[in-house]
Amino acid sequence: MAGGGWRTKRGRKAVAAVVFAVLGRGLVAAARLDERVRAEAGAWPEGTVITLGIGPFGPQVSWRAGGGMLEYLGGAEVEPTLAVTFKSVDGALPLLLGMKSVLGAFAEHRATVTGDLALAMSFVRCLHIVEGYLFPDLMTRRILPRPAERRAGHLIAYGALVHRRARLEGASS
Amino acid sequence: MIPDYYEFCNSTKIVSGTRALEHIGYELAALGASRPLVLTNTQLLELKVATLVLDALADTEAEVVGVYQEIPVDSSASVVDDVARAYRESGADAIVAVGGGSVLDTAKGATIVLSHGGTLMEHRGAESLLGRRAVAFIAIPTTAGTGSEVTSAAVIKDTERHVKMGFTSLSLLPDVAILDPRLTVGLPARLTASTAMDALTHAVEAVSCVQANPLSDCYAKAAIGLIRDHLPAVLDDPQAPAGRLALANAALMAGAAFSNAMVGIVHAMGHAAGGVAGIPHGDAMAVLLPHGMAYNTDAVGDRYGELLLDLAGADVYASTPADERAAASIATVRAMLDMLHTTAGLSVTLGQLGVLPEQIPDIARAALDDGAMSMNPKQPSFEELVGILKGAL
Ligand SMILES: [Zn+2]
């Protein structure tokens, strides 16, 4: 993987950026295809911008809610309505790699929330659902509040694709 | 048990004991402040409780620049912004908050606005406020329950959207908390009992939640022991200052415990019952605590078993086989609630508190969405929650 893998901070940030991109598009797809995420994200006020990132110099990913859909804004500079910011890349990685739950990260004070906490809870519920598609059962059993339910066929395919790519990249590094 | 990672902070100076209030002048001077704005409510002034603080302040070098007494039962964003305005106009350099949870939370909100500018709404979040607080802040609780004088959280109502907003930041911790038994000797029996059960719930949930750590455990267990030892005696003799001081300390310690370790399912259900059916917080905690413990039992290992020592004392702990201690802890909490039903008139079921069977699904749904639920050691499904709540009906 880019930038020297896990051993350097730059490498870990590069890994985080890749996961953000996968998670970013995964959430957009889930808001279209999974009725639970659609219900949550559909209730976010029009124009809400949510940013998930690593402060102060790490990668980030943002979404904008509108018309009952989510728009993927990638790592663009935005003025978020809600920002969930990890205090360090090392605090973020266990979560981004499916080794720890979002709520577990909050409980351990790994992240800060700027904005409405009720909106943050809704966002976290969505992330849990997306993680259920992206990570294999072996992981989600440990990190999710309840066993992952995968309800949208297209997303299952997207998750499988991510697994296959990850395995290929793992084998070549 | 040391968690893989934890944080703990209780930076508030505790001033506790006989005539502790009389040290308020020194404490203000130590903070470099001399022009306090006193926050309280009319009822506490009429009951001559807030007057004790004003009298103590009169005999100091500090000059009270104002008494803001229009704080409602539910602290709200508009009141917070108004307090900040009053503070600026009066030229104050400190806030002395005298009251229960709503007065203390209003004060916390005002310190956010005064330190960071703008309006309260702009500063919503968790751990997102950086930098020092610009206001010296002394908290003087007049109930022994919420522990707000040592918690890093505030709950304030959004006046326009009618929802409760949460704020957490270490900068909300008061500089000083003063516990003086004169402030709580006048509390009626029922309120004494329900606020003590709130404190007990803070302690028990702090021990079982996902962020429990060795330091929060110390505070929580000490709080439980104090409530066990002193609550029955205080109900017997409400004017006894030693017992009142012990309960005030218990509430404070339980507050320090849950401010760091969080609360869980009992608070989630209680917040929801408050929102849906208007049930007072302490009453809901008293009824729901044993039910929440019973649900959590299989997820908390021997944590509830350990608590038997604090809940029931050394003799009972030693004579109870290890594998029966968790159940005995829950039975002890139930017995305590029954005792408080007889001596102080506390309700033992949600039905007695006026909850209707048809409100249960709404309460369950709101509890699932409550932030406290996410820190519980076990996540219930909607159906499980309905079952727990029906069991408490
Ligand atoms: Zn409480």
Side-chain angles (χ1 to χ4, degrees):
Chain A
M1 281 204 176
W6 313 102
R7 279 176 299 278
T8 68
K9 200 154 269 186
R10 224 176 75 202
R12 293 197 288 280
K13 282 185 182 171
V15 172
V18 171
V19 181
F20 278 158
V22 172
L23 207 56
R25 295 178 194 284
L27 183 60
V28 171
R32 213 153 37 86
L33 302 169
D34 184 294
E35 80 258 24
R36 296 162 297 174
V37 180
R38 202 184 317 141
E40 295 274 1
W44 298 346
E46 198 71 16
T48 297
V49 173
I50 298 182
T51 298
L52 178 68
I54 296 169
F57 306 115
Q60 64 175 49
V61 58
S62 301
W63 302 265
R64 183 186 289 114
M69 314 261 275
L70 287 184
E71 182 190 351
Y72 174 69
L73 303 176
E77 279 293 320
V78 291
E79 284 230 351
T81 325
L82 173 75
V84 175
T85 312
F86 290 95
K87 294 176 185 171
S88 76
V89 66
D90 295 87
L93 270 190
L95 176 141
L96 296 178
L97 298 175
M99 282 146 37
K100 202 163 257 172
S101 72
V102 186
L103 291 173
F106 277 129
E108 288 190 351
H109 306 269
R110 304 287 192 179
T112 68
V113 177
T114 309
D116 182 6
L117 293 184
L119 177 61
M121 287 292 291
S122 171
F123 174 60
V124 165
R125 284 195 292 269
C126 292
L127 285 183
H128 275 155
I129 294 167
V130 176
E131 284 183 316
Y133 288 103
L134 298 182
F135 300 123
D137 270 338
L138 189 70
M139 288 178 172
T140 54
R141 255 204 302 278
R142 200 174 50 224
I143 62 168
L144 296 185
R146 277 187 294 282
E149 265 180 73
R150 302 186 179 91
R151 297 191 186 172
H154 285 90
L155 269 176
I156 298 172
Y158 178 71
L161 190 76
V162 172
H163 296 163
R164 213 158 35 236
R165 275 248 298 273
R167 264 204 302 278
L168 286 176
E169 287 183 18
S172 67
S173 70
Chain B
M1 179 197 67
I2 309 261
D4 174 48
Y5 178 96
Y6 78 91
E7 296 185 3
F8 184 94
C9 181
N10 179 25
S11 55
T12 305
K13 176 179 177 182
I14 317 297
V15 180
S16 158
T18 311
R19 310 201 83 72
L21 266 182
E22 307 309 317
H23 283 196
I24 193 166
Y26 173 83
E27 295 303 334
L28 278 170
L31 293 167
S34 60
R35 296 171 56 77
L37 173 69
V38 176
L39 305 190
T40 187
N41 63 41
T42 2
Q43 204 196 358
L44 286 165
L45 282 166
E46 280 163 12
L47 291 170
K48 305 262 182 255
V49 173
T51 328
L52 288 168
V53 179
L54 294 175
D55 288 349
L57 278 165
D59 193 29
T60 67
E61 284 176 318
E63 178 204 346
V64 176
V65 295
V67 178
Y68 191 104
Q69 58 182 76
E70 293 86 26
I71 296 179
V73 182
D74 263 341
S75 37
S76 73
S78 55
V79 174
V80 164
D81 291 330
D82 195 51
V83 168
R85 179 201 51 78
Y87 181 96
R88 288 196 189 101
E89 285 175 4
S90 65
D93 60 7
I95 286 181
V96 173
V98 186
S102 67
V103 174
L104 298 193
D105 281 4
T106 301
K108 288 176 179 177
T111 68
I112 295 177
V113 175
L114 290 166
S115 304
H116 300 277
T119 63
L120 184 66
M121 293 287 285
E122 295 164 31
H123 303 294
R124 287 175 299 172
E127 294 192 45
S128 54
L129 296 171
L130 304 176
R132 284 185 167 276
R133 182 175 57 226
V135 182
F137 178 19
I138 297 185
I140 306 178
T142 56
T143 59
T146 67
S148 185
E149 66 277 14
V150 287
T151 68
S152 57
V155 178
I156 293 159
K157 210 171 179 180
D158 172 352
T159 341
E160 274 155 37
R161 293 186 305 155
H162 301 286
V163 293
K164 289 191 172 175
M165 304 180 290
F167 297 81
T168 66
S169 166
L170 292 182
S171 70
L172 297 183
L173 285 167
D175 295 302
V176 180
I178 302 182
L179 305 182
D180 187 317
R182 289 177 289 169
L183 295 161
T184 51
V185 284
L187 289 175
R190 197 170 192 287
L191 193 61
T192 303
S194 67
T195 48
M197 287 303 278
D198 185 24
L200 182 72
T201 308
H202 295 156
V204 170
E205 293 216 275
V207 168
S208 59
C209 275
V210 290
Q211 252 328 79
N213 60 69
L215 288 160
S216 62
D217 280 359
C218 291
Y219 284 86
K221 290 177 176 180
I224 295 172
L226 283 172
I227 294 169
R228 177 200 76 219
D229 280 346
H230 294 278
L231 180 56
V234 165
L235 291 172
D236 243 15
D237 178 9
Q239 297 288 322
R244 289 293 186 180
L245 190 61
L247 290 184
N249 272 272
L252 180 146
M253 287 183 217
F258 92 82
S259 177
N260 287 282
M262 303 298 154
V263 285
I265 187 169
V266 183
H267 271 77
M269 294 191 293
H271 295 154
V276 173
I279 296 183
H281 181 65
D283 289 343
M285 294 299 98
V287 169
L288 292 168
L289 177 57
H291 295 277
M293 290 176 78
Y295 173 74
N296 278 342
T297 295
D298 59 349
V300 298
D302 55 1
R303 302 292 279 155
Y304 288 158
E306 286 171 35
L307 287 189
L308 186 62
L309 179 61
D310 312 288
L311 281 164
D315 290 345
V316 174
Y317 181 81
S319 62
T320 307
D323 60 345
E324 292 171 20
R325 283 177 188 151
S329 286
I330 299 173
T332 305
V333 171
R334 285 190 201 280
M336 197 184 272
L337 180 57
D338 286 339
M339 181 272 286
L340 295 174
H341 175 65
T342 315
T343 55
L346 277 199
S347 302
V348 293
T349 67
L350 291 177
Q352 289 168 7
L353 287 168
V355 175
L356 304 168
E358 55 267 33
Q359 290 176 312
I360 295 287
D362 286 344
I363 297 176
R365 217 164 286 124
L368 271 184
D369 273 355
D370 192 90
M373 191 64 90
S374 59
M375 298 299 147
N376 199 60
K378 192 176 159 192
Q379 297 300 315
S381 65
F382 172 74
E383 291 75 20
E384 282 175 309
L385 263 180
V386 168
I388 299 167
L389 289 162
K390 278 190 176 154
L393 198 66

